[in-house]
Amino acid sequence: MNAILVAVTTSYDIYDVDYSLDELKNLAEAIDINTVFQISQKLDAPNSKTYVGKGKLDEIIIAIKAYDADMVIFNDELTPSQLRNVSDVLHVECIDRSYLILKIFEERAQTKEASLEIKLVKNLYLLPRISFLREKESRIGGTSGSLSNRGAGETQAELDRRHIMAEINRLKKELEKEKTMKESQIDKRKRNNIPIVALVGYTNAGKSSTMNSLLEYIGQEDKQVFEKDQLFATLSTFNRKISYDKKEFILVDTIGFVSKLPHHLVNSFYQTLAEIKHADYIIHVVDSSSPYINQQINVVMQVLASLQADKIPSLFLLNKWDKNENTGLQIIGYPSLKFSNKTKMNIKELFEDIIAHIGPSSIRAKLLIPYKEGKYCNILEESAYIYYKEYQSYGTYYDVEIPLKQYHLFQPYDLENMVN
């Protein structure tokens, strides 16, 4: 499928139009849409009826014929009336940036959680656009489910709207159950005192590759996750328990971000992004070789702020340093580390930085375990580092280093607590 990309730029834009169109092109390529031409127009604000002006619409019509295009993709989310109007004028399939992103997410969703979330977002997007999108959705395999029980005098649009509203309510209920399960898992980790380290970043910055490099470094290649050099290669959140230098933490690989994400997408992907909000430390993976590094960092920081995660201690990981020509690159005001998944540059330093920030995962204690509580001695023998052990009249004395998550089992036998 050949597409023409169309963008409007205003004096209020925070995104460079060339960067934005280049990203739109990459998004289109992610679902095998070929870009044949790009058009942009500078306006005070997008045209309320047709997004671009009449003269620019005429240019698009000429380009459609010249490049044999069968689709036009607009760089912003269009209103239902804008979509209808441009479709009536251009006579080819017209979609906006939000719809394109939704199609990518729909294609890549693999887990039950991600599938539910993207279905909800898509229905929220479709709801105000039913009249226009009904025919297009049926052509490309969109809305699902049979429509029945049509009331007297009820229009097809009203029937579709009622069906979608019912589907939205059903999906919200299912996601609420998933949310409860997710929060229960996070609470369990917190109770076990296992720190959470979240990898965040722009899509295709190298988050999954970074997780795999860390796993490879500690000899856990069998736990590596899927990675591919493309936008939104995965929509799943992966958790891996990491043990390094006698400390443990949960490493979380989250979905990537992109500029102008649909509003409903961030809201509906709460469960997927909740791991970030509860993290103890954030590794912000940055593509240091990108000419648009500042824009990409800003996008991620905006999303973190919307999740109330922008105050969590973090490190900027300047990934792809092996391809970076700006050797003087610095992130002003934030700690950063030069890094490369290809050469494994500074991977040991990354581990040491994480360990320095997540706090202790073990505690040293002097314990006196009564002989009748021999089961606790067995636990110590299996999981603790024993500095000294002595059999005394009352029980067994231990000078040990215990995993922090197990300390609550031995707290009643801690001699320091007994004295106090």
Side-chain angles (χ1 to χ4, degrees):
M1 185 170 283
N2 294 329
I4 291 173
L5 310 184
V6 179
V8 164
T9 176
T10 72
S11 58
Y12 303 103
D13 281 347
I14 60 174
Y15 304 109
D16 177 85
V17 67
D18 293 329
Y19 162 67
S20 197
L21 279 172
D22 187 49
E23 184 175 77
L24 189 64
K25 177 183 177 182
N26 291 333
L27 288 168
E29 288 176 350
I31 51 174
D32 300 321
I33 297 174
N34 180 45
T35 297
V36 294
F37 194 63
Q38 299 180 7
I39 295 177
S40 64
Q41 183 177 29
K42 187 170 180 61
L43 296 172
D44 291 335
N47 187 292
S48 61
K49 293 182 179 180
T50 54
Y51 184 65
V52 293
K54 183 181 182 306
K56 195 60 67 173
L57 277 177
D58 292 337
E59 284 185 40
I60 297 172
I61 292 172
I62 294 171
I64 289 171
K65 295 177 181 178
Y67 293 95
D68 194 27
D70 37 31
M71 173 182 284
V72 176
I73 306 176
F74 295 88
N75 194 39
D76 293 285
E77 185 169 312
L78 270 58
T79 66
S81 62
Q82 284 175 325
L83 270 176
R84 182 186 299 278
N85 292 337
V86 295
S87 296
D88 289 345
V89 172
L90 301 177
H91 302 294
V92 294
E93 185 168 5
C94 297
I95 65 173
D96 58 22
R97 184 187 185 93
S98 293
Y99 187 79
L100 176 62
I101 293 174
L102 293 180
K103 292 301 292 182
I104 297 172
F105 272 57
E106 186 177 42
E107 188 175 289
R108 303 279 168 78
Q110 293 180 333
T111 64
K112 177 184 177 183
E113 183 178 77
S115 296
L116 288 171
E117 288 171 325
I118 193 58
K119 285 178 183 177
L120 175 60
V121 180
K122 189 175 181 185
N123 277 289
L124 290 168
Y125 175 89
L126 290 175
L127 190 60
R129 298 169 174 83
I130 292 172
S131 298
F132 168 72
L133 288 174
R134 185 176 183 273
E135 181 181 349
K136 180 168 77 69
E137 277 293 303
S138 63
R139 286 203 311 271
I140 60 177
T143 50
S144 59
S146 60
L147 301 178
S148 57
N149 300 323
R150 183 172 178 175
E154 194 170 25
T155 67
Q156 187 62 54
E158 289 169 344
L159 184 62
D160 287 352
R161 187 173 289 107
R162 184 157 60 88
H163 170 76
I164 292 178
M165 279 302 302
E167 183 71 357
I168 287 172
N169 290 331
R170 183 189 69 80
L171 290 167
K172 284 183 175 180
K173 289 179 181 178
E174 285 200 52
L175 279 169
E176 193 61 36
K177 294 178 183 177
E178 294 290 322
K179 176 182 176 181
T180 301
M181 291 175 57
K182 172 80 82 174
E183 291 181 340
S184 176
Q185 292 171 354
I186 294 173
D187 288 342
K188 184 177 179 180
R189 289 180 199 152
K190 291 293 185 182
R191 287 196 302 272
N192 289 337
N193 293 304
I194 303 180
I196 298 174
V197 178
L199 295 166
V200 306
Y202 212 76
T203 182
N204 209 29
K207 296 179 303 301
S208 297
S209 299
T210 300
M211 172 175 269
N212 287 342
S213 291
L214 292 170
L215 289 168
E216 179 184 351
Y217 187 75
I218 60 174
Q220 295 184 9
E221 291 91 342
D222 58 317
K223 295 183 179 180
Q224 289 182 332
V225 301
F226 176 77
E227 62 175 85
K228 191 173 182 180
D229 186 16
Q230 66 176 199
L231 301 184
F232 300 117
T234 176
L235 300 182
S236 301
T237 297
F238 295 102
N239 302 322
R240 296 292 185 268
K241 181 182 283 189
I242 303 288
S243 297
Y244 182 81
D245 193 24
K246 296 183 180 180
K247 295 186 178 181
E248 291 183 337
F249 60 92
I250 300 295
L251 184 64
V252 180
D253 177 21
T254 61
I255 65 170
F257 304 133
V258 71
S259 63
K260 301 183 181 182
L261 273 174
H263 172 70
H264 291 306
L265 194 65
V266 176
N267 290 342
S268 297
F269 265 66
Y270 170 82
Q271 279 90 282
T272 301
L273 299 174
E275 301 275 9
I276 302 174
K277 185 176 180 179
H278 294 279
D280 297 281
Y281 195 48
I282 289 177
I283 306 297
H284 185 161
V285 182
V286 177
D287 179 357
S288 66
S289 68
S290 172
Y292 304 113
I293 181 173
N294 290 329
Q295 291 96 322
Q296 293 177 357
I297 288 175
N298 287 337
V299 167
V300 176
M301 295 301 286
Q302 287 169 14
V303 176
L304 290 177
S306 71
L307 295 170
Q308 297 180 325
D310 53 325
K311 305 301 182 184
I312 296 173
S314 61
L315 170 75
F316 279 85
L317 193 66
L318 305 180
N319 191 28
K320 305 185 184 181
W321 196 262
D322 54 294
K323 299 195 302 184
N324 180 26
E325 297 179 357
N326 181 13
T327 56
L329 175 67
Q330 294 184 24
I331 308 298
I332 305 300
Y334 294 93
S336 62
L337 179 67
K338 300 170 185 176
F339 188 76
S340 169
N341 282 298
K342 184 177 181 180
T343 66
K344 306 303 185 239
M345 173 187 184
N346 285 336
I347 189 165
K348 182 180 180 182
E349 287 76 7
L350 175 57
F351 262 119
E352 291 175 350
D353 178 85
I354 293 172
I355 296 303
H357 283 86
I358 61 175
S361 58
S362 62
I363 184 171
R364 188 164 179 173
K366 293 177 173 57
L367 310 173
L368 185 59
I369 310 293
Y371 288 122
K372 64 178 180 179
E373 301 291 358
K375 61 181 179 180
Y376 293 113
C377 294
N378 293 334
I379 295 174
L380 284 175
E381 299 287 344
E382 291 179 0
S383 61
Y385 182 84
I386 301 174
Y387 293 98
Y388 181 75
K389 172 182 173 181
E390 181 180 77
Y391 296 105
Q392 299 182 355
S393 58
Y394 177 77
T396 307
Y397 169 82
Y398 286 96
D399 180 358
V400 292
E401 190 158 344
I402 316 166
L404 199 58
K405 63 183 180 181
Q406 292 182 340
Y407 177 68
H408 67 282
L409 297 174
F410 304 98
Q411 195 167 4
Y413 313 113
D414 190 331
L415 289 174
E416 184 175 338
N417 290 339
M418 292 179 183
V419 171
N420 294 335

